[in-house]
Structures are given as C-alpha cells and as structure tokens.
Amino acid sequence: MLVKIFDEEHEKDLELVVNDFLIRNKEIEVIDIKYTVAITYDEREQIYCYSCLIMYKQKEN
C-alpha cells in the first residue's frame, strides 16, 4: 500500500489537486481517502488547513 498526502489552504485548491492526482494516475486503485480540516487563529485571522490522505496501490497488469 502507498499513500499520498495533500495539504492546501483552501478547500477548492485541495479538490483540484486531488482530482488532478486521480485523473493522472489511472494505474492506481484507491483503497481509502481521509479528509481533515484544521483551524487556528493567529491574533489577526483564522487560518484553515485542508488535508487529504489517499491510500492506494498500483494496479496489477
């Protein structure tokens, strides 16, 4: 099993990179996808972190 981790500041950016990864890698079989959002405040603004972990394996020929 292999993993690929994505981390973006905006949820739409995360969606784009995950979709791009899946489209470009047709030779993989996705096992599971985990999604997480973290929020912090730095005295000026809220900071969001959108993360995705994709567990996959290479398709056998």
Side-chain angles (χ1 to χ4, degrees):
M1 182 180 348
L2 300 166
V3 298
K4 179 72 175 171
I5 299 171
F6 298 95
D7 180 52
E8 298 291 335
E9 292 182 18
H10 301 286
E11 60 188 324
K12 289 293 183 186
D13 293 336
L14 180 63
E15 184 178 322
L16 289 172
V17 296
V18 168
N19 283 333
D20 185 60
F21 174 77
L22 295 172
I23 289 168
R24 291 178 183 270
N25 293 284
K26 296 190 184 303
E27 73 282 351
I28 66 170
E29 179 182 336
V30 175
I31 298 168
D32 199 4
I33 297 177
K34 305 291 185 186
Y35 173 75
T36 298
V37 179
I39 303 169
T40 188
Y41 183 73
D42 73 353
E43 297 184 17
R44 293 174 285 149
E45 64 181 333
Q46 285 184 334
I47 299 170
Y48 291 83
C49 175
Y50 298 90
S51 302
C52 180
L53 178 132
I54 299 175
M55 292 177 270
Y56 67 97
K57 65 181 181 179
Q58 297 292 329
K59 287 183 180 177
E60 296 180 14
N61 293 330

